[in-house]
Amino acid sequence: MFGIFDKIEEFFKEFLLGGIQANLESMFLDINDKVGAIATDVGKTPMGWNGQVFSFIKSINDSVIIPIAGLIITAVLCIELINMVMQKNNMHDTDTFDFFKYIIKMWIAVWLVSHAFEFSMAVFDVAQHMVNKAGVINTSATVSGNQIVAMIDSLKDKGLGELVMILFETSLIKVAIQVISIVIMLVVYGRMFEIYIYSSVSAIPFATMGNKEWGQIGTNYIKGLFAIGLQGLFLMVCLGIYAVLVKTIKITDIHTSTFTILGYAVLLGLMMLKSGTLAKSVLNAH
C-alpha cells in the first residue's frame, strides 16, 4: 500500500520537475535565440530588412515628397533672392559675384533635395557598418543544457509542495521574460518603422537648408537621422552587456538564478526602450 503512494508521489515529482525544466529551458535558452535574432535585425539596412517596404517608401518620396519639397525650395530661394537684393540698397550696391554665389547656392540646394533620400540611406549604411563592427560583441547569452539538467537534479530531494511553488514561480518568470522579449522586439521593429517614416520625408527638411532661419529644420532633421543610426549601435551594446551578465550567473540556487535572469531581462528591456532617447541626447537632436 505504501509502495503505491510512493509511486504516485514519484509520478507527480517527475511531472513537476518536467514542467520546471521546460520553464528553465524557455527562460535560459529561448531568450538566447531571440537575442541573437534581434542582434541580426539591428544590423540590417532599411533595404535589407524589407525590400518591399523600402520600395514603397522610395516611391512615396519620389511621387509625393519631392514635388512638395520643390515648392518649399522655390519659396526659400525666392526669399533668399529678395533678401539679397534688399540688403544691397535695392541693387545700387550689388556686386555681380553675389549673383554668382546665389546660383551656386541654388544649384547645391536643388542637388541636396533631389538626392535627399540617397543621403538618408547613406547614413544608415554607415550605421550598419558601425553595428557590424560591433559584431565582435558577443550577443550569445549561452547557458548550456547540462547546467539546467544539473539544476533539476538538485531539486529531486524537494517535497511536492515546494516543487509546486517552484513550478509556479518559474512559470510567472517565464511569462514575464516572454513579455519583455516582445517589448524588445517592438523596440527593434519600431526603430525600423521610424527609419522608414523618417527617410520618406527627407526631401522636405533638406529643402529648408538654403535659408538661415529655416535651415534649423534641416539641421535638426540630420541630427535626428544620425541619432536613429546611432541607436542601432546602442542596441547592440545593450545586447552585449546582457549576454555577459547572463554568463556570470551562477547556476546553483534555482530561486537566485531565475530572479537574476528576470532582473537582467528587465534591465535589457528598459535600456533598449531608452536607447533612442540616449542617442538623441548625445547628438542634441530634438
Side-chain angles (χ1 to χ4, degrees):
M1 188 70 180
F2 290 102
I4 296 176
F5 287 115
D6 290 339
K7 291 291 184 182
I8 294 174
E9 183 180 359
E10 184 179 351
F11 169 78
F12 279 110
K13 270 193 174 184
E14 290 295 329
F15 174 77
L16 293 172
L17 288 172
I20 294 170
Q21 183 172 354
N23 289 340
L24 292 175
E25 289 175 351
S26 178
M27 282 188 287
F28 286 101
L29 302 181
D30 292 352
I31 188 72
N32 180 57
D33 296 335
K34 291 174 183 176
V35 166
I38 289 169
T40 302
D41 285 337
V42 171
K44 291 182 180 179
T45 61
M47 183 170 61
W49 193 74
N50 193 307
Q52 292 182 342
V53 175
F54 176 82
S55 300
F56 170 72
I57 293 301
K58 192 175 187 308
S59 66
I60 292 293
N61 176 79
D62 295 341
S63 60
V64 178
I65 304 301
I66 290 290
I68 297 174
L71 294 175
I72 295 174
I73 197 172
T74 300
V76 167
L77 292 174
C78 288
I79 293 172
E80 283 291 297
L81 181 60
I82 293 171
N83 289 336
M84 184 185 70
V85 171
M86 294 185 66
Q87 286 174 1
K88 296 297 182 177
N89 193 18
N90 293 330
M91 298 188 69
H92 289 295
D93 301 325
T94 302
D95 190 353
T96 307
F97 187 69
D98 290 335
F99 286 100
F100 181 69
K101 289 192 296 183
Y102 175 79
I103 292 172
I104 294 176
K105 185 176 183 179
M106 180 176 63
W107 181 85
I108 294 173
V110 172
W111 184 87
L112 282 174
V113 170
S114 59
H115 293 81
F117 189 80
E118 288 82 356
F119 181 82
S120 301
M121 292 300 104
V123 170
F124 296 112
D125 287 338
V126 174
Q128 185 202 23
H129 178 72
M130 289 194 303
V131 171
N132 290 337
K133 284 291 184 181
V136 296
I137 299 173
N138 190 352
T139 56
S140 178
T142 304
V143 174
S144 67
N146 293 332
Q147 291 174 299
I148 294 176
V149 172
M151 190 184 294
I152 294 298
D153 289 338
S154 67
L155 299 176
K156 290 184 177 180
D157 295 332
K158 303 287 185 182
L160 284 178
E162 192 171 357
L163 288 177
V164 170
M165 291 300 298
I166 292 173
L167 178 62
F168 180 72
E169 176 186 303
T170 54
S171 297
L172 287 179
I173 295 175
K174 171 187 171 183
V175 172
I177 290 178
Q178 288 176 342
V179 171
I180 295 169
S181 300
I182 294 174
V183 171
I184 294 170
M185 181 192 68
L186 291 176
V187 170
V188 175
Y189 284 13
R191 173 178 175 265
M192 294 306 300
F193 270 69
E194 191 174 0
I195 287 173
Y196 287 130
I197 295 172
Y198 217 70
S199 301
S200 66
V201 296
S202 56
I204 292 178
F206 271 74
T208 65
M209 296 184 68
N211 183 268
K212 185 177 181 180
E213 288 78 16
W214 291 22
Q216 294 180 358
I217 298 174
T219 302
N220 287 330
Y221 174 83
I222 293 175
K223 288 180 181 180
L225 203 63
F226 277 96
I228 298 175
L230 185 62
Q231 184 186 5
L233 178 62
F234 285 176
L235 291 175
M236 286 296 292
V237 172
C238 290
L239 294 174
I241 293 173
Y242 171 80
V244 173
L245 290 175
V246 169
K247 289 178 181 179
T248 61
I249 296 176
K250 302 297 182 182
I251 309 298
T252 52
D253 181 67
I254 188 169
H255 300 288
T256 304
S257 301
T258 52
F259 279 105
T260 302
I261 190 70
L262 176 61
Y264 289 159
V266 170
L267 285 175
L268 176 62
L270 291 175
M271 290 310 299
M272 293 188 79
L273 283 172
K274 291 186 64 177
S275 60
T277 304
L278 289 173
K280 290 181 178 179
S281 66
V282 168
L283 296 175
N284 195 26
H286 303 294

